């Protein structure tokens, strides 16, 4: 509940980018408005590494439960700012500044969420089910994708443009804000993990991480690259379908909705496959396959754009990417000891998201603009796949990876 809610609050911004661009970043050039909007989207990912360090260290010093409570409380504050912020027409420059500040706070909160929630699940799981438990990190994230896309689909098809511009776009943020107290209630009643209770917390988990486990940290960032680029293209998909492919608004939202639903099923099934054949082996094979199919799938989608082609193409990409991502979190948990597990996962994952995901929507739009080709986003996703393959090979050469 809590993890899904936090990611819903972060992601829904991207799905309502066309409206936010008009209301908070009005310019004479529509392309510039969109670029400013997605650059502001990326601010959350600038704040994520800072949040991952602060909240990750808090996780390893004060407990997984305490960090989970703090991150959700901060996310609710950022979402409240987004829900209530007056537009540029009402208060001028303070409107977009307020949106930027809310994005920074949301990014800070979610920066510590991944490490603390993943660590909590893995440390509570029976040894033979840790990959399955860790897969719920992505189940909750993709549930957020489905919920946000469903909100976009319903609001854009049921409301008039005037209704959407005046109050409709605020509805998903208000939903996230209202559900927040339930998430806090659930987290307040959690039991701390046995792994944390069994250790003596370090004085500086960050110092131990960067001096003793920096190699694992670097490969973690690289491994995140491919999954992040693909996932954040999914966030960009409603805008891509409407602006680049000239398809109706509902097509992008429907594609995202179906891809997110497929992800939930595939991630859970793939977690069992990874336990049987080895985490690194499964991830390496699927990373290579994903990298190989991106260009031909994009050609299929863009040659004769249609709703059917977009749905088929995105489903193929999502299927392969989710098999890759299913064992990823438990792999990260295994390469860090309990003393630095929270900050290791949080910081490494946040750096990977910042490097390859936070500004990905802006980069996708920029690549299309400078090349004049709707195929251009494929170049970015292919490049990220190569980085992940190299990182997986590097991890496989480390002694700690022998059993993975």
């Amino acid at each position: 509940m809590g993890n899904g809610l936090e990611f819903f609050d972060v992601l829904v911004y991207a799905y309502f980018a066309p409206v936010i661009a008009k209301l908070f970043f009005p310019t004479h050039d529509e392309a510039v408005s969109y670029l400013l909007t997605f650059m502001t989207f990326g601010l959350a990912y600038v704040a994520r590494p800072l949040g991952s360090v602060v909240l990750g260290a808090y996780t390893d010093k004060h407990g997984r439960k305490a960090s989970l409570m703090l991150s959700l409380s901060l996310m609710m504050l950022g979402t409240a700012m987004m829900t209530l912020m007056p537009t540029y027409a009402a208060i001028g420059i303070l409107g977009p500044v307020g949106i930027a500040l809310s994005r920074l706070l949301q990014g800070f909160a979610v920066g510590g969420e991944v490490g603390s929630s993943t660590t909590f699940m893995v440390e509570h799981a029976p040894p033979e089910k840790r990959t399955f438990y860790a897969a719920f990190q992505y189940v909750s994230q993709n549930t957020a994708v489905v919920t946000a896309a469903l909100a976009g689909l319903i609001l854009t098809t049921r409301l008039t443009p005037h209704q959407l511009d005046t109050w409709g776009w605020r509805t998903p943020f208000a939903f996230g804000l209202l559900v927040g107290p339930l998430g806090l209630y659930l987290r307040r009643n959690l039991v701390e993990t046995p792994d944390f209770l069994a250790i003596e917390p370090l004085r500086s988990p960050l110092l131990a991480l960067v001096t003793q486990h920096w190699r694992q940290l670097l490969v973690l960032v690289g491994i995140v690259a491919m999954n992040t680029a693909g996932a954040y293209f999914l966030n960009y998909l409603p805008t891509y379908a409407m602006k680049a492919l000239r398809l109706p608004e509902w097509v992008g939202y429907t594609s995202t909705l179906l891809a997110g639903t497929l992800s939930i099923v595939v991630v859970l099934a793939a977690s069992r496959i990874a336990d049987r054949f080895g985490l690194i082996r499964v991830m390496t094979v699927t990373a290579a396959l994903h990298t190989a199919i991106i260009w031909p799938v994009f050609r299929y989608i863009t040659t004769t754009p249609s709703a059917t082609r977009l749905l088929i193409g995105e489903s193929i990409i999502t299927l392969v990417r989710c098999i890759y991502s299913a064992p990823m979190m438990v792999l990260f948990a295994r390469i860090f000891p309990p003393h630095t597990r929270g900050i290791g996962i949080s910081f490494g994952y946040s750096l990977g998201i910042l490097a390859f995901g936070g500004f990905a929507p802006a980069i996708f739009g920029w690549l299309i603009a400078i090349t004049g080709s709707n195929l251009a986003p494929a170049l970015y996703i292919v490049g990220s796949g190569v980085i992940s393959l190299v990182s997986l090979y590097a991890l496989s050469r480390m002694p700690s990876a022998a059993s993975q």
Side-chain angles (χ1 to χ4, degrees):
M1 277 290 297
N3 196 62
L5 178 62
E6 290 205 35
F7 276 90
F8 172 85
D9 289 338
V10 170
L11 295 176
V12 75
Y13 179 98
Y15 297 153
F16 288 89
V19 179
I20 294 172
K22 288 189 296 182
L23 297 178
F24 289 94
F25 302 95
T27 70
H28 296 297
D29 187 334
E30 186 182 56
V32 174
S33 291
Y34 276 99
L35 184 59
L36 289 172
T37 304
F38 281 118
M39 290 296 285
T40 307
F41 174 80
L43 285 178
Y45 300 91
V46 174
R48 278 180 79 155
L50 177 60
S52 69
V53 169
V54 175
L55 296 178
Y58 190 81
T59 300
D60 290 327
K61 292 182 70 173
H62 300 285
R64 307 353 180 172
K65 176 181 175 179
S67 182
L68 288 169
M69 289 289 294
L70 180 57
S71 67
L72 186 54
S73 299
L74 292 172
M75 176 59 72
M76 289 175 62
L77 178 59
T79 302
M81 292 175 63
M82 183 71 71
T83 305
L84 303 172
M85 189 61 58
T87 64
Y88 182 89
I91 60 172
I93 192 66
L94 293 178
V97 169
I99 293 295
L101 290 175
S102 71
R103 292 296 297 171
L104 288 169
L105 186 55
Q106 287 181 321
F108 183 91
V110 85
E113 172 69 19
V114 173
S116 57
S117 58
T118 300
T119 300
F120 184 87
M121 288 185 291
V122 169
E123 291 181 351
H124 265 305
E128 72 279 5
K129 293 185 178 180
R130 285 184 172 174
T131 305
F132 182 69
Y133 273 50
F136 276 87
Q137 172 63 243
Y138 284 114
V139 168
S140 60
Q141 289 187 29
N142 283 298
T143 300
V145 170
V146 170
T147 308
L150 187 60
L153 179 62
I154 292 172
L155 292 172
T156 54
T157 55
R158 296 295 181 180
L159 299 182
T160 66
H162 177 71
Q163 290 173 325
L164 193 63
D165 290 353
T166 52
W167 59 268
W169 71 273
R170 296 183 189 271
T171 306
F173 297 104
F175 167 78
L177 185 61
L178 292 173
V179 175
L182 177 58
L184 285 174
Y185 172 78
L186 293 172
R187 291 188 171 195
R188 188 177 293 115
N189 289 281
L190 295 174
V191 178
E192 188 55 82
T193 70
D195 285 28
F196 178 77
L197 295 175
I199 64 171
E200 183 69 30
L202 299 175
R203 185 173 182 179
S204 177
L206 177 61
L207 181 62
L209 177 69
V210 298
T211 57
Q212 301 173 28
H213 307 291
W214 61 270
R215 292 180 181 84
Q216 291 93 325
L217 189 66
L218 287 178
V219 297
L220 190 160
V221 172
I223 289 170
V224 166
M226 190 199 84
N227 183 65
T228 298
Y232 281 80
F233 181 75
L234 194 61
N235 298 336
Y236 179 69
L237 194 58
T239 300
Y240 180 75
M242 184 172 59
K243 297 298 179 181
L245 303 183
R246 304 298 178 186
L247 297 173
E249 280 185 305
W250 66 266
V251 174
Y253 288 116
T254 303
S255 297
T256 304
L257 181 63
L258 292 179
T261 304
L262 178 64
S263 299
I264 294 170
V265 177
V266 173
V267 163
L268 290 177
S271 66
R272 302 290 184 154
I273 297 173
D275 273 335
R276 180 177 179 182
F277 294 102
L279 308 183
I280 293 178
R281 181 178 300 145
V282 168
M283 293 178 69
T284 300
V285 170
T286 49
L289 179 60
H290 187 273
T291 303
I293 66 172
I294 287 295
W295 189 261
V297 170
F298 263 76
R299 285 190 63 86
Y300 171 76
I301 291 172
T302 58
T303 301
T304 308
S306 69
T308 301
R309 283 177 174 253
L310 185 61
L311 291 172
I312 293 173
E314 185 58 37
S315 296
I316 293 170
I317 293 172
T318 299
L319 175 65
V320 179
R321 180 176 58 80
C322 286
I323 298 174
Y324 174 86
S325 63
M328 194 162 67
M329 283 301 174
V330 78
L331 179 65
F332 294 163
R334 288 182 181 181
I335 64 177
F336 294 108
H339 299 81
T340 59
R341 185 170 291 151
I343 193 171
I345 297 173
S346 291
F347 190 38
Y349 189 79
S350 293
L351 287 176
I353 296 293
L354 172 62
F356 302 103
F359 293 98
I363 292 171
F364 293 143
W366 175 73
L367 286 172
I368 292 171
I370 65 168
T371 63
S373 171
N374 292 332
L375 279 168
L379 297 172
Y380 185 79
I381 301 174
V382 169
S384 69
V386 173
I387 292 171
S388 288
L389 282 167
V390 172
S391 300
L392 283 166
Y393 176 76
L395 179 60
S396 70
R397 308 300 295 174
M398 294 181 182
S400 61
S403 63
Q404 311 300 329

